[in-house]
Amino acid sequence: MSHSRYVITLIALTLLLVILSLACLVFGSVDIPVGSITDIVMGEGSGNKAWDIIILQSRIPMIITAALAGAALSVSGLLLQTTFNNPLAGPSILGVSSGAGLGVAIVILAMGGSLGGLLGESVGSYIAILVGAILGAAVVLILLIAFSAIVRSNTMLLIIGILVSYLTSSVVQLLNSVATEEGVHNYVSWGFGNFSGVSAAQMPLYAGIIIVALFGSVMMVKPLNALLLGARYARNLGINVSRTRNILLIITGVLTAVVTAYCGPIGFIGLVVPHIARMSLGTSNHARLVPTTMLAGAVIALLCSLASVSSPHGIIPINAITPVIGVPIILYIILNRRRIQYFN
């Protein structure tokens, strides 16, 4: 793959990221003149307090939330696909998102409140939700590690991941059956997925954890490339395969759990975007694939966010949009699997 193709891809994705960010600022349920938006962003104010609040406390945080969530989920999918040597691995498919969701449900019921109330209260409340999501994701990842040591078939491992997802969903349903009506309503609303749930006060913690974890994924580029060649070859290169996989799964668990806790269980982005990045670059070299996946994930998430808020009939749940993008791409990959060789 030529260096120019990589540079052109990064430039194109960056331009798309900027264009979609601007579009998300302009379009929404409330029509705000572009001139007023410019004044608000420049710090001059529009003279309309409601518009100022919408831009500064709603649309800008939503843009940052969506971009970081897209990057986080996409990198999580990439790490899982490399770790398990499986092009159909992803946080939602393998049950990691479901595990994080189960952790959130347990914390909500244990604290006797609803999701909306908890995320709007003290710092300790949403830290508790984060911890619950991380622990839930960790349990699923530990199960996947255990089964991957026993089951060598990638297909069987995917089936196990799906079964784990069903199991966690069943437990959540049982928990909902003893929850309050308000709690069930808020949990169901959370399950639809949205990028508008992170306030300016919560943004430092949300963004900080994701950025640190994404930086950790960048630092794992060399071990990731070694794993592509097989565990035996990686060991010959001096890579501690067991420790490397554990680190990769920790990074994956943290990224997935944080996004799930704040935005809900967003599907398909983590599964699809790594394939988009590979097809765009024509390589599985993680030195180029990781940053490209981050940018592509941010672009896809912003595109979904824009589609969500641009409907004249109200806000569309994110999880109603992602399959429209994800399913055709996955079908293309399945139908062309003989020509698309990702893991050699």
Side-chain angles (χ1 to χ4, degrees):
M1 184 198 70
S2 65
H3 178 69
S4 60
R5 180 174 176 179
Y6 173 61
V7 173
I8 291 172
T9 301
L10 288 185
I11 292 174
L13 288 173
T14 302
L15 288 175
L16 282 173
L17 185 65
V18 172
I19 292 171
L20 287 170
S21 297
L22 293 175
C24 287
L25 268 180
V26 173
F27 297 103
S29 56
V30 177
D31 292 329
I32 303 176
V34 175
S36 298
I37 294 175
T38 303
D39 291 338
I40 294 170
V41 173
M42 296 300 293
E44 298 177 3
S46 63
N48 187 318
K49 188 175 181 179
W51 290 354
D52 294 353
I53 292 174
I54 290 172
I55 296 297
L56 297 177
Q57 298 184 24
S58 178
R59 292 188 185 178
I60 290 179
M62 183 185 68
I63 291 168
I64 298 172
T65 300
L68 289 175
L73 293 174
S74 300
V75 169
S76 295
L78 175 63
L79 298 187
L80 287 175
Q81 289 167 13
T82 302
T83 300
F84 292 106
N85 194 32
N86 194 321
L88 292 179
S92 55
I93 298 297
L94 289 179
V96 183
S97 296
S98 297
L102 175 59
V104 172
I106 292 174
V107 170
I108 290 172
L109 293 178
M111 297 181 70
S114 66
L115 184 70
L118 286 174
L119 288 181
E121 293 174 358
S122 66
V123 173
S125 295
Y126 59 82
I127 287 180
I129 291 222
L130 276 179
V131 171
I134 291 172
L135 291 177
V139 170
V140 173
L141 288 171
I142 290 171
L143 288 174
L144 291 175
I145 293 171
F147 280 115
S148 66
I150 301 171
V151 179
R152 299 299 179 182
S153 169
N154 288 334
T155 302
M156 290 303 297
L157 191 61
L158 279 178
I159 293 173
I160 290 171
I162 294 171
L163 291 176
V164 170
S165 295
Y166 278 120
L167 180 60
T168 55
S169 297
S170 177
V171 175
V172 169
Q173 291 298 320
L174 291 173
L175 292 174
N176 280 333
S177 68
V178 298
T180 64
E181 183 178 349
E182 181 186 2
V184 172
H185 173 76
N186 283 301
Y187 192 86
V188 170
S189 298
W190 169 82
F192 290 148
N194 74 88
F195 295 128
S196 59
V198 182
S199 66
Q202 298 165 1
M203 186 61 70
L205 181 64
Y206 170 83
I209 295 175
I210 290 180
I211 290 171
V212 169
L214 288 176
F215 179 76
S217 69
V218 173
M219 300 302 293
M220 297 297 292
V221 162
K222 289 185 178 179
L224 283 166
N225 284 336
L227 287 178
L228 286 178
L229 303 173
R232 182 175 298 178
Y233 189 87
R235 291 189 185 95
N236 291 336
L237 293 176
I239 302 295
N240 187 323
V241 174
S242 178
R243 184 177 66 183
T244 297
R245 283 178 174 169
N246 289 339
I247 293 173
L248 292 173
L249 291 174
I250 289 171
I251 293 172
T252 298
V254 170
L255 289 173
T256 303
V258 172
V259 174
T260 302
Y262 283 101
C263 305
I266 308 297
F268 281 98
I269 290 180
L271 175 63
V272 169
V273 175
H275 295 296
I276 295 176
R278 289 190 189 95
M279 288 187 288
S280 298
L281 298 177
T283 183
S284 287
N285 179 4
H286 287 79
R288 296 181 174 180
L289 194 56
V290 170
T292 303
T293 301
M294 288 183 192
L295 278 174
V299 167
I300 294 296
L302 283 173
L303 180 62
C304 292
S305 181
L306 181 62
S308 173
V309 300
S310 298
S311 171
H313 303 292
I315 296 177
I316 302 174
I318 296 295
N319 278 333
I321 299 172
T322 52
V324 176
I325 299 174
V327 170
I329 295 174
I330 295 302
L331 288 175
Y332 174 82
I333 292 166
I334 292 173
L335 294 175
N336 294 273
R337 62 187 182 278
R338 293 182 179 179
R339 295 194 294 109
I340 303 175
Q341 298 295 328
Y342 293 139
F343 306 103
N344 297 316

